[in-house]
Amino acid sequence: MTQECRFTGGHQDSVLCLACSVDGVLASGGESGELCLWSVEKPGLLHQVSGLQDADVTSVCFSVKQPHVLCAAVGESVHLYDSRDMAKAVHQFKFNSEEINEVNFNEKEYFLAACDDSGEVKIIDFEGRKLFKTLRGHENICSSAKFCPKKTWGMVSGGLDQNVILWDFSRGKKLKICNMQDFVSEDGPVSAYMCNPPLVHSVDVSGQMFACGLGNSDIQMFKVEGKKSFRHTGSLQGHSQGVSQVHFPKFEVDDALVSAGNDGKIILWDLADNQKSHAASSTSSSKHGKKVVKDEGAAGTAGTVKSHISQNIDHGSKVNCLASGCVKGKRLLFVADVSPVVTAYSFGADDEKALSESH
């Protein structure tokens, strides 16, 4: 990945969230109610909205079916916009009781999820403009919630209670709960655990696989199995501080995961070996950035998986959000950090080569 461009002049404070539409419009939300739309093809500011209820814009997402439809989490409500006319929100969903941390559509875009600081996930009937279900399972802030594309009523959520939950959101039922403490090394110092417990800051889903970025600098990988369960498939270790974001690129790159952390690093992971059946050996190696991690957690049977750091970028600042998109043939990764600037990195042929050569 190489730096492509920077988006400047729209925000005064930190950028908290990003989303890229299929027609090449980038949305960025920030502190103090700042919401901006950018042209990606010819980088520049298209629209700027400020002072939204004196609340932070904490999450944004575009519709794929209707690329002009934009949802923005503003404080405790979700604002629905038509990106072609940002003068006023078309509709507001006011179902959450505390600040919303993330909003996402399901694959068919019948539903919209909004998780918040109360630990709840609100499932909104998007077409009917009404509340469908409230998911209650986290004992602390629910930081991230994603629909499972391969599971019609499936959803995965993670929170600061250190739990990851698999849901049947049609019934509001918890199918499986896994505590990230189960995967903390018993050999590590107690002081390290107390200072950096495995709080779940970010969850992302790709097919039947999902990744969780944790406050103790680890990434835990899981796979949904059957109708009601998931198993642990491995741990990725490359960050020196908490992992703030995990993201499966939206363009066609097989077996790739991108992570970012409080250490200012952005890591491109090759997960090819993580997709394969577990190896028989339980040895470990750090050669060329490879990690072989024995899975002994309560969530699954013991085995071994491999992962490989394909690229490690020193972004230089704590990362708040990652997003991706393919615009005019360019595959781009967008990065928001503690500054008012958004950076775009391009994913080129060399990155594909590095992924293929590591197999």
Side-chain angles (χ1 to χ4, degrees):
M1 288 185 289
T2 57
Q3 185 171 312
E4 179 76 13
C5 63
R6 286 156 56 91
F7 299 85
T8 62
H11 291 274
Q12 301 300 315
D13 296 306
S14 296
V15 181
L16 303 175
C17 57
L18 297 168
C20 185
S21 73
V22 293
D23 58 359
V25 175
L26 177 69
S28 60
E31 295 178 349
S32 305
E34 296 178 343
L35 176 62
C36 296
L37 295 186
W38 310 83
S39 168
V40 176
E41 184 180 359
K42 298 179 179 179
L45 186 63
L46 297 174
H47 300 286
Q48 185 179 36
V49 181
S50 60
L52 291 172
Q53 299 179 347
D54 294 323
D56 296 340
V57 180
T58 52
S59 183
V60 286
C61 68
F62 280 103
S63 164
V64 174
K65 294 182 178 179
Q66 302 178 77
H68 61 276
V69 173
L70 170 67
C71 291
V74 185
E76 300 167 3
S77 62
V78 180
H79 292 209
L80 176 62
Y81 287 96
D82 183 330
S83 65
R84 298 167 298 188
D85 181 7
M86 296 290 290
K88 186 179 180 181
V90 176
H91 187 77
Q92 289 188 36
F93 299 107
K94 297 184 176 181
F95 301 122
N96 295 77
S97 60
E98 296 189 27
E99 184 177 65
I100 298 168
N101 295 309
E102 192 171 84
V103 289
N104 286 290
F105 282 108
N106 76 326
E107 190 172 29
K108 294 185 178 179
E109 299 187 357
Y110 296 155
F111 299 103
L112 180 74
C115 62
D116 64 30
D117 282 358
S118 73
E120 296 180 347
V121 184
K122 300 292 184 179
I123 306 296
I124 300 167
D125 177 345
F126 188 68
E127 293 182 348
R129 303 287 196 263
K130 60 185 179 181
L131 183 65
F132 177 74
K133 277 288 187 294
T134 297
L135 309 184
R136 297 183 177 95
H138 290 283
E139 299 174 357
N140 204 323
I141 292 170
C142 182
S143 52
S144 187
K146 296 288 199 310
F147 292 99
C148 301
K150 300 297 183 181
K151 192 174 175 64
T152 304
W153 297 106
M155 164 165 276
V156 176
S157 65
L160 302 195
D161 56 0
Q162 306 177 36
N163 285 333
V164 171
I165 303 176
L166 176 66
W167 299 88
D168 176 344
F169 70 85
S170 69
R171 297 183 290 165
K173 182 179 179 181
K174 298 183 287 290
L175 299 178
K176 185 163 186 173
I177 302 175
C178 183
N179 193 291
M180 296 300 98
Q181 292 183 36
D182 293 343
F183 310 107
V184 174
S185 172
E186 296 180 358
D187 299 329
V190 175
S191 58
Y193 170 79
M194 295 299 291
C195 293
N196 300 292
L199 312 179
V200 184
H201 292 299
S202 178
V203 172
D204 203 12
V205 180
S206 177
Q208 294 179 315
M209 177 171 55
F210 65 93
C212 301
L214 308 183
N216 67 346
S217 78
D218 287 352
I219 300 167
Q220 300 298 347
M221 303 296 300
F222 299 89
K223 183 180 180 181
V224 176
E225 291 194 328
K227 295 181 178 180
K228 299 181 179 180
S229 190
F230 60 85
R231 65 179 172 87
H232 184 233
T233 60
S235 304
L236 309 183
Q237 298 166 333
H239 290 280
S240 60
Q241 296 181 40
V243 179
S244 55
Q245 285 280 289
V246 287
H247 177 70
F248 291 102
K250 303 306 178 189
F251 39 75
E252 296 297 323
V253 179
D254 293 337
D255 311 324
L257 173 73
V258 182
S259 64
N262 298 344
D263 54 5
K265 290 183 179 180
I266 300 171
I267 298 178
L268 174 63
W269 299 89
D270 172 18
L271 302 178
D273 293 327
N274 208 355
Q275 300 272 36
K276 298 176 183 177
S277 60
H278 287 177
S281 171
S282 62
T283 59
S284 65
S285 170
S286 59
K287 186 177 181 181
H288 302 305
K290 287 188 178 180
K291 298 284 182 179
V292 182
V293 183
K294 189 173 182 180
D295 174 6
E296 296 176 331
T301 56
T304 348
V305 292
K306 295 180 181 180
S307 61
H308 174 72
I309 296 178
S310 179
Q311 192 169 1
N312 191 331
I313 295 174
D314 185 4
H315 180 70
S317 298
K318 174 187 173 182
V319 175
N320 288 331
C321 188
L322 298 173
S324 57
C326 187
V327 180
K328 297 296 182 180
K330 286 187 177 180
R331 292 170 296 177
L332 300 170
L333 177 74
F334 303 98
V335 181
D337 55 38
V338 293
S339 77
V341 177
V342 177
T343 305
Y345 292 90
S346 61
F347 192 99
D350 290 343
D351 302 293
E352 283 189 272
K353 184 179 179 181
L355 284 169
S356 63
E357 287 180 348
S358 66
H359 294 172

